[in-house]
């Protein structure tokens, strides 16, 4: 019997490593549209968040993806750094988010536009119903690292949240977090 080393390694407080891992970075210039206003003090090439994934060999039912999203503590005129956010293309596909470190909010939106959040902190585990759009928000002063597991056939429907955007924005002033209806 062969006893092999694992092909992948995920340090609890670090990134995902292994040959099959793909990483993408979201720069401020590609995220400007997420925020209420443009912050001229931020360099266009500021890295807002990074996503590393191990994608399944097939984008089919029964296959799973594993990933980590890492959001840096960047504020855009006081508005907290966030992911683009999406519905799944296949609404039958659920997802789990598990907070490895940092503090933030997981914003949900149902198909009627009702928006709410769950608090994220180290160890918090979040179930995402396939019918709910989801967006990560870093409200802390350190990286927010969130481990994600989702069906390989889920897909990302960004258009749907552009047509019906999350209707609440999250800001930080000093140490106070506050929200604003958009
Ligand atoms: O694609 P975004 O909405 O910007 O979110 C960033 C990423 O967050 C998590 O890692 C999800 O599971 C990924 O599927 C998603 O791509």
């Amino acid at each position: 019997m062969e006893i092999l080393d694992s092909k992948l390694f995920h340090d609890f407080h670090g990134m995902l490593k292994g040959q099959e891992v793909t990483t993408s970075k979201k720069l401020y210039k590609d995220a400007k549209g997420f925020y209420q206003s443009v912050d001229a003090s931020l360099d266009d090439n500021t890295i807002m968040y990074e996503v590393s994934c191990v994608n399944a060999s097939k984008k089919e039912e029964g296959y799973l993806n594993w990933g980590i999203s890492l959001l840096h503590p960047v504020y855009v005129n006081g508005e907290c750094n966030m992911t683009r956010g999406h519905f799944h293309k296949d609404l039958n596909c659920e997802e789990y988010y598990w907070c490895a470190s940092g503090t933030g909010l997981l914003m949900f939106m149902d198909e009627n536009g009702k928006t709410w959040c769950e608090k994220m902190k180290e160890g918090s585990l979040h179930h995402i119903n396939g019918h709910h759009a989801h967006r990560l928000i870093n409200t802390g002063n350190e990286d927010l690292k969130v481990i994600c597991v989702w069906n390989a056939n889920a897909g990302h429907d960004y258009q749907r949240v552009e047509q019906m955007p999350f209707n609440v924005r999250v800001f930080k002033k000093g140490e106070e977090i506050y929200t604003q209806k958009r």
Side-chain angles (χ1 to χ4, degrees):
M1 179 189 75
E2 279 184 303
I3 299 182
L4 306 170
D5 285 330
S6 69
K7 287 185 189 160
L8 297 158
F9 191 77
H10 200 147
D11 184 291
F12 285 115
H13 297 286
M15 293 299 278
L16 181 56
K17 291 183 196 126
Q19 269 183 2
E20 298 157 30
V21 175
T22 58
T23 298
S24 63
K25 291 181 169 64
K26 182 72 82 184
L27 304 180
Y28 177 53
K29 64 180 171 201
D30 301 316
K32 280 184 185 168
F34 306 171
Y35 298 93
Q36 188 177 57
S37 58
V38 170
D39 189 334
S41 71
L42 275 181
D43 190 281
D44 267 2
N45 291 318
T46 304
I47 299 171
M48 305 299 282
Y49 62 96
E50 300 170 54
V51 179
S52 294
C53 291
V54 187
N55 290 307
S57 55
K58 290 183 183 172
K59 288 186 178 172
E60 286 177 14
E61 201 179 327
Y63 290 77
L64 291 173
N65 292 339
W66 176 277
I68 180 167
S69 296
L70 188 158
L71 285 80
H72 299 301
V74 183
Y75 290 86
V76 180
N77 292 325
E79 191 169 358
C80 301
N81 186 12
M82 57 188 155
T83 57
R84 187 174 179 186
H86 57 271
F87 278 98
H88 288 159
K89 278 191 177 151
D90 184 337
L91 300 177
N92 291 320
C93 292
E94 303 185 325
E95 185 160 1
Y96 271 106
Y97 277 180
W98 179 42
C99 184
S101 64
T103 49
L105 294 171
L106 170 56
M107 185 173 277
F108 294 98
M109 179 173 64
D110 71 15
E111 292 180 87
N112 300 315
K114 185 188 157 201
T115 303
W116 70 99
C117 287
E118 282 181 11
K119 287 182 193 171
M120 305 188 97
K121 62 178 182 181
E122 186 177 320
S124 64
L125 180 65
H126 308 266
H127 175 258
I128 301 169
N129 178 310
H131 290 258
H132 296 159
H134 39 288
R135 154 178 278 174
L136 287 166
I137 303 169
N138 187 353
T139 58
N141 302 320
E142 54 180 301
D143 287 344
L144 174 68
K145 293 181 186 172
V146 180
I147 293 168
C148 318
V149 186
W150 69 106
N151 295 117
N153 59 316
H156 297 81
D157 188 347
Y158 295 111
Q159 227 183 352
R160 196 161 173 191
V161 292
E162 271 143 32
Q163 284 159 358
M164 184 179 71
F166 293 88
N167 60 18
V168 182
R169 293 185 175 280
V170 180
F171 295 84
K172 188 170 181 179
K173 193 171 184 187
E175 284 310 299
E176 189 208 344
I177 307 296
Y178 64 96
T179 59
Q180 233 176 56
K181 276 263 184 197
R182 58 191 291 158

PDB file of all heavy atoms in Angstrom, residues 26 49 51 53 67-69 83-86 95 97 134 136 146 148 150 156 158, ligand 1:
ATOM      1  N   LYS A  26      -8.106  40.900  -7.026  1.00  0.00           N
ATOM      2  CA  LYS A  26      -9.016  41.987  -7.455  1.00  0.00           C
ATOM      3  C   LYS A  26      -8.352  43.308  -7.080  1.00  0.00           C
ATOM      4  O   LYS A  26      -8.068  43.568  -5.907  1.00  0.00           O
ATOM      5  CB  LYS A  26     -10.363  41.831  -6.743  1.00  0.00           C
ATOM      6  CG  LYS A  26     -11.398  42.848  -7.143  1.00  0.00           C
ATOM      7  CD  LYS A  26     -11.948  42.628  -8.532  1.00  0.00           C
ATOM      8  CE  LYS A  26     -13.035  41.573  -8.560  1.00  0.00           C
ATOM      9  NZ  LYS A  26     -13.499  41.287  -9.934  1.00  0.00           N
ATOM     10  N   TYR A  49      -8.748  42.249  -2.802  1.00  0.00           N
ATOM     11  CA  TYR A  49      -8.888  40.893  -2.278  1.00  0.00           C
ATOM     12  C   TYR A  49      -8.286  39.867  -3.226  1.00  0.00           C
ATOM     13  O   TYR A  49      -8.075  40.152  -4.408  1.00  0.00           O
ATOM     14  CB  TYR A  49     -10.336  40.552  -1.915  1.00  0.00           C
ATOM     15  CG  TYR A  49     -11.398  40.555  -2.998  1.00  0.00           C
ATOM     16  CD1 TYR A  49     -11.771  39.370  -3.635  1.00  0.00           C
ATOM     17  CD2 TYR A  49     -12.073  41.709  -3.340  1.00  0.00           C
ATOM     18  CE1 TYR A  49     -12.789  39.348  -4.580  1.00  0.00           C
ATOM     19  CE2 TYR A  49     -13.095  41.704  -4.278  1.00  0.00           C
ATOM     20  CZ  TYR A  49     -13.455  40.524  -4.903  1.00  0.00           C
ATOM     21  OH  TYR A  49     -14.467  40.522  -5.838  1.00  0.00           O
ATOM     22  N   VAL A  51      -8.336  35.591  -4.214  1.00  0.00           N
ATOM     23  CA  VAL A  51      -9.092  34.336  -4.098  1.00  0.00           C
ATOM     24  C   VAL A  51      -8.206  33.205  -4.622  1.00  0.00           C
ATOM     25  O   VAL A  51      -7.716  33.268  -5.743  1.00  0.00           O
ATOM     26  CB  VAL A  51     -10.404  34.396  -4.931  1.00  0.00           C
ATOM     27  CG1 VAL A  51     -11.169  33.085  -4.839  1.00  0.00           C
ATOM     28  CG2 VAL A  51     -11.292  35.557  -4.485  1.00  0.00           C
ATOM     29  N   CYS A  53      -8.174  29.022  -5.250  1.00  0.00           N
ATOM     30  CA  CYS A  53      -9.144  27.924  -5.379  1.00  0.00           C
ATOM     31  C   CYS A  53      -8.489  26.646  -5.858  1.00  0.00           C
ATOM     32  O   CYS A  53      -7.513  26.688  -6.612  1.00  0.00           O
ATOM     33  CB  CYS A  53     -10.177  28.240  -6.461  1.00  0.00           C
ATOM     34  SG  CYS A  53     -11.291  29.543  -6.080  1.00  0.00           S
ATOM     35  N   GLY A  67     -11.884  26.817  -1.634  1.00  0.00           N
ATOM     36  CA  GLY A  67     -11.138  28.055  -1.857  1.00  0.00           C
ATOM     37  C   GLY A  67     -11.007  28.892  -0.606  1.00  0.00           C
ATOM     38  O   GLY A  67     -11.576  28.575   0.448  1.00  0.00           O
ATOM     39  N   ILE A  68     -10.231  29.945  -0.744  1.00  0.00           N
ATOM     40  CA  ILE A  68     -10.128  30.935   0.337  1.00  0.00           C
ATOM     41  C   ILE A  68     -10.179  32.321  -0.272  1.00  0.00           C
ATOM     42  O   ILE A  68      -9.561  32.584  -1.315  1.00  0.00           O
ATOM     43  CB  ILE A  68      -8.845  30.742   1.196  1.00  0.00           C
ATOM     44  CG1 ILE A  68      -8.794  31.809   2.305  1.00  0.00           C
ATOM     45  CG2 ILE A  68      -7.588  30.731   0.376  1.00  0.00           C
ATOM     46  CD1 ILE A  68      -7.774  31.535   3.393  1.00  0.00           C
ATOM     47  N   SER A  69     -10.952  33.188   0.355  1.00  0.00           N
ATOM     48  CA  SER A  69     -10.982  34.605  -0.027  1.00  0.00           C
ATOM     49  C   SER A  69     -10.282  35.376   1.074  1.00  0.00           C
ATOM     50  O   SER A  69     -10.549  35.141   2.253  1.00  0.00           O
ATOM     51  CB  SER A  69     -12.420  35.118  -0.133  1.00  0.00           C
ATOM     52  OG  SER A  69     -13.083  34.452  -1.158  1.00  0.00           O
ATOM     53  N   THR A  83     -16.317  41.940  -1.412  1.00  0.00           N
ATOM     54  CA  THR A  83     -16.249  41.212  -2.680  1.00  0.00           C
ATOM     55  C   THR A  83     -17.356  41.730  -3.606  1.00  0.00           C
ATOM     56  O   THR A  83     -18.274  42.431  -3.164  1.00  0.00           O
ATOM     57  CB  THR A  83     -16.417  39.693  -2.467  1.00  0.00           C
ATOM     58  OG1 THR A  83     -17.656  39.456  -1.790  1.00  0.00           O
ATOM     59  CG2 THR A  83     -15.273  39.110  -1.675  1.00  0.00           C
ATOM     60  N   ARG A  84     -17.250  41.370  -4.861  1.00  0.00           N
ATOM     61  CA  ARG A  84     -18.252  41.798  -5.846  1.00  0.00           C
ATOM     62  C   ARG A  84     -19.642  41.295  -5.438  1.00  0.00           C
ATOM     63  O   ARG A  84     -20.616  42.028  -5.481  1.00  0.00           O
ATOM     64  CB  ARG A  84     -17.845  41.231  -7.206  1.00  0.00           C
ATOM     65  CG  ARG A  84     -18.669  41.702  -8.353  1.00  0.00           C
ATOM     66  CD  ARG A  84     -18.057  41.168  -9.635  1.00  0.00           C
ATOM     67  NE  ARG A  84     -18.837  41.566 -10.779  1.00  0.00           N
ATOM     68  CZ  ARG A  84     -18.606  41.157 -12.028  1.00  0.00           C
ATOM     69  NH1 ARG A  84     -17.605  40.325 -12.263  1.00  0.00           N
ATOM     70  NH2 ARG A  84     -19.362  41.566 -13.013  1.00  0.00           N
ATOM     71  N   GLY A  85     -19.700  40.046  -5.017  1.00  0.00           N
ATOM     72  CA  GLY A  85     -20.971  39.437  -4.594  1.00  0.00           C
ATOM     73  C   GLY A  85     -21.694  38.826  -5.790  1.00  0.00           C
ATOM     74  O   GLY A  85     -21.608  39.340  -6.908  1.00  0.00           O
ATOM     75  N   HIS A  86     -22.377  37.744  -5.545  1.00  0.00           N
ATOM     76  CA  HIS A  86     -23.056  37.051  -6.650  1.00  0.00           C
ATOM     77  C   HIS A  86     -24.164  36.125  -6.153  1.00  0.00           C
ATOM     78  O   HIS A  86     -24.157  35.701  -5.003  1.00  0.00           O
ATOM     79  CB  HIS A  86     -22.031  36.234  -7.460  1.00  0.00           C
ATOM     80  CG  HIS A  86     -21.278  35.235  -6.625  1.00  0.00           C
ATOM     81  ND1 HIS A  86     -20.102  35.537  -5.978  1.00  0.00           N
ATOM     82  CD2 HIS A  86     -21.551  33.940  -6.317  1.00  0.00           C
ATOM     83  CE1 HIS A  86     -19.678  34.482  -5.322  1.00  0.00           C
ATOM     84  NE2 HIS A  86     -20.544  33.491  -5.497  1.00  0.00           N
ATOM     85  N   GLU A  95     -23.530  26.687  -0.395  1.00  0.00           N
ATOM     86  CA  GLU A  95     -22.110  26.941  -0.144  1.00  0.00           C
ATOM     87  C   GLU A  95     -21.900  27.077   1.364  1.00  0.00           C
ATOM     88  O   GLU A  95     -22.826  27.449   2.087  1.00  0.00           O
ATOM     89  CB  GLU A  95     -21.708  28.245  -0.863  1.00  0.00           C
ATOM     90  CG  GLU A  95     -20.235  28.567  -0.793  1.00  0.00           C
ATOM     91  CD  GLU A  95     -19.772  29.557  -1.881  1.00  0.00           C
ATOM     92  OE1 GLU A  95     -20.611  30.016  -2.678  1.00  0.00           O
ATOM     93  OE2 GLU A  95     -18.577  29.859  -1.912  1.00  0.00           O
ATOM     94  N   TYR A  97     -19.209  29.043   4.114  1.00  0.00           N
ATOM     95  CA  TYR A  97     -18.089  29.949   4.366  1.00  0.00           C
ATOM     96  C   TYR A  97     -17.660  29.719   5.812  1.00  0.00           C
ATOM     97  O   TYR A  97     -18.517  29.676   6.703  1.00  0.00           O
ATOM     98  CB  TYR A  97     -18.525  31.418   4.237  1.00  0.00           C
ATOM     99  CG  TYR A  97     -18.566  31.998   2.831  1.00  0.00           C
ATOM    100  CD1 TYR A  97     -18.951  33.331   2.650  1.00  0.00           C
ATOM    101  CD2 TYR A  97     -18.209  31.268   1.704  1.00  0.00           C
ATOM    102  CE1 TYR A  97     -18.995  33.897   1.380  1.00  0.00           C
ATOM    103  CE2 TYR A  97     -18.256  31.831   0.439  1.00  0.00           C
ATOM    104  CZ  TYR A  97     -18.641  33.151   0.281  1.00  0.00           C
ATOM    105  OH  TYR A  97     -18.684  33.714  -0.962  1.00  0.00           O
ATOM    106  N   HIS A 134     -24.569  36.506  -2.069  1.00  0.00           N
ATOM    107  CA  HIS A 134     -23.681  36.631  -0.920  1.00  0.00           C
ATOM    108  C   HIS A 134     -22.459  37.471  -1.267  1.00  0.00           C
ATOM    109  O   HIS A 134     -21.947  37.418  -2.386  1.00  0.00           O
ATOM    110  CB  HIS A 134     -23.270  35.255  -0.381  1.00  0.00           C
ATOM    111  CG  HIS A 134     -23.021  34.242  -1.452  1.00  0.00           C
ATOM    112  ND1 HIS A 134     -24.020  33.663  -2.205  1.00  0.00           N
ATOM    113  CD2 HIS A 134     -21.861  33.714  -1.924  1.00  0.00           C
ATOM    114  CE1 HIS A 134     -23.503  32.823  -3.064  1.00  0.00           C
ATOM    115  NE2 HIS A 134     -22.184  32.843  -2.923  1.00  0.00           N
ATOM    116  N   LEU A 136     -18.832  39.195   0.843  1.00  0.00           N
ATOM    117  CA  LEU A 136     -18.008  39.308   2.056  1.00  0.00           C
ATOM    118  C   LEU A 136     -17.602  40.760   2.276  1.00  0.00           C
ATOM    119  O   LEU A 136     -17.287  41.476   1.307  1.00  0.00           O
ATOM    120  CB  LEU A 136     -16.735  38.472   1.899  1.00  0.00           C
ATOM    121  CG  LEU A 136     -16.909  36.963   1.970  1.00  0.00           C
ATOM    122  CD1 LEU A 136     -15.648  36.256   1.452  1.00  0.00           C
ATOM    123  CD2 LEU A 136     -17.201  36.558   3.407  1.00  0.00           C
ATOM    124  N   VAL A 146     -11.471  33.833   4.620  1.00  0.00           N
ATOM    125  CA  VAL A 146     -12.678  33.004   4.658  1.00  0.00           C
ATOM    126  C   VAL A 146     -12.515  31.803   3.728  1.00  0.00           C
ATOM    127  O   VAL A 146     -12.258  31.953   2.528  1.00  0.00           O
ATOM    128  CB  VAL A 146     -13.918  33.831   4.244  1.00  0.00           C
ATOM    129  CG1 VAL A 146     -15.170  32.972   4.274  1.00  0.00           C
ATOM    130  CG2 VAL A 146     -14.086  35.044   5.155  1.00  0.00           C
ATOM    131  N   CYS A 148     -13.992  28.612   1.749  1.00  0.00           N
ATOM    132  CA  CYS A 148     -15.279  28.401   1.076  1.00  0.00           C
ATOM    133  C   CYS A 148     -15.311  27.017   0.429  1.00  0.00           C
ATOM    134  O   CYS A 148     -14.310  26.571  -0.139  1.00  0.00           O
ATOM    135  CB  CYS A 148     -15.445  29.404  -0.066  1.00  0.00           C
ATOM    136  SG  CYS A 148     -14.909  31.067   0.324  1.00  0.00           S
ATOM    137  N   TRP A 150     -17.942  24.910  -2.255  1.00  0.00           N
ATOM    138  CA  TRP A 150     -19.157  25.039  -3.054  1.00  0.00           C
ATOM    139  C   TRP A 150     -19.172  24.045  -4.214  1.00  0.00           C
ATOM    140  O   TRP A 150     -18.132  23.510  -4.599  1.00  0.00           O
ATOM    141  CB  TRP A 150     -19.353  26.480  -3.541  1.00  0.00           C
ATOM    142  CG  TRP A 150     -18.386  26.997  -4.570  1.00  0.00           C
ATOM    143  CD1 TRP A 150     -18.639  27.201  -5.894  1.00  0.00           C
ATOM    144  CD2 TRP A 150     -17.016  27.431  -4.365  1.00  0.00           C
ATOM    145  NE1 TRP A 150     -17.527  27.726  -6.529  1.00  0.00           N
ATOM    146  CE2 TRP A 150     -16.519  27.877  -5.611  1.00  0.00           C
ATOM    147  CE3 TRP A 150     -16.166  27.490  -3.268  1.00  0.00           C
ATOM    148  CZ2 TRP A 150     -15.228  28.359  -5.775  1.00  0.00           C
ATOM    149  CZ3 TRP A 150     -14.865  27.966  -3.431  1.00  0.00           C
ATOM    150  CH2 TRP A 150     -14.414  28.392  -4.669  1.00  0.00           C
ATOM    151  N   HIS A 156     -21.250  31.641 -11.198  1.00  0.00           N
ATOM    152  CA  HIS A 156     -21.375  32.971 -10.595  1.00  0.00           C
ATOM    153  C   HIS A 156     -22.297  33.808 -11.462  1.00  0.00           C
ATOM    154  O   HIS A 156     -21.997  34.015 -12.640  1.00  0.00           O
ATOM    155  CB  HIS A 156     -20.021  33.673 -10.531  1.00  0.00           C
ATOM    156  CG  HIS A 156     -19.015  32.985  -9.675  1.00  0.00           C
ATOM    157  ND1 HIS A 156     -18.286  31.914 -10.104  1.00  0.00           N
ATOM    158  CD2 HIS A 156     -18.632  33.216  -8.396  1.00  0.00           C
ATOM    159  CE1 HIS A 156     -17.482  31.511  -9.123  1.00  0.00           C
ATOM    160  NE2 HIS A 156     -17.674  32.286  -8.078  1.00  0.00           N
ATOM    161  N   TYR A 158     -23.207  37.355 -11.726  1.00  0.00           N
ATOM    162  CA  TYR A 158     -22.916  38.716 -11.261  1.00  0.00           C
ATOM    163  C   TYR A 158     -23.956  39.696 -11.791  1.00  0.00           C
ATOM    164  O   TYR A 158     -24.281  40.688 -11.163  1.00  0.00           O
ATOM    165  CB  TYR A 158     -21.521  39.155 -11.719  1.00  0.00           C
ATOM    166  CG  TYR A 158     -20.399  38.344 -11.116  1.00  0.00           C
ATOM    167  CD1 TYR A 158     -19.641  37.474 -11.892  1.00  0.00           C
ATOM    168  CD2 TYR A 158     -20.099  38.444  -9.758  1.00  0.00           C
ATOM    169  CE1 TYR A 158     -18.615  36.722 -11.327  1.00  0.00           C
ATOM    170  CE2 TYR A 158     -19.076  37.696  -9.184  1.00  0.00           C
ATOM    171  CZ  TYR A 158     -18.336  36.834  -9.981  1.00  0.00           C
ATOM    172  OH  TYR A 158     -17.323  36.094  -9.424  1.00  0.00           O
TER     173      TYR A 158
HETATM  174  O1  LIG B   1     -16.672  36.380  -7.047  1.00  0.00           O
HETATM  175  P1  LIG B   1     -16.899  37.317  -5.897  1.00  0.00           P
HETATM  176  O2  LIG B   1     -18.333  37.643  -5.656  1.00  0.00           O
HETATM  177  O3  LIG B   1     -16.042  38.543  -5.993  1.00  0.00           O
HETATM  178  O4  LIG B   1     -16.435  36.564  -4.586  1.00  0.00           O
HETATM  179  C1  LIG B   1     -15.123  36.092  -4.464  1.00  0.00           C
HETATM  180  C2  LIG B   1     -15.076  34.596  -4.220  1.00  0.00           C
HETATM  181  O5  LIG B   1     -15.576  34.353  -2.918  1.00  0.00           O
HETATM  182  C3  LIG B   1     -15.575  33.003  -2.534  1.00  0.00           C
HETATM  183  O6  LIG B   1     -14.297  32.458  -2.543  1.00  0.00           O
HETATM  184  C4  LIG B   1     -16.465  32.242  -3.474  1.00  0.00           C
HETATM  185  O7  LIG B   1     -16.749  30.999  -3.089  1.00  0.00           O
HETATM  186  C5  LIG B   1     -15.890  32.334  -4.845  1.00  0.00           C
HETATM  187  O8  LIG B   1     -16.683  31.576  -5.711  1.00  0.00           O
HETATM  188  C6  LIG B   1     -15.896  33.792  -5.228  1.00  0.00           C
HETATM  189  O9  LIG B   1     -15.455  33.975  -6.529  1.00  0.00           O
END
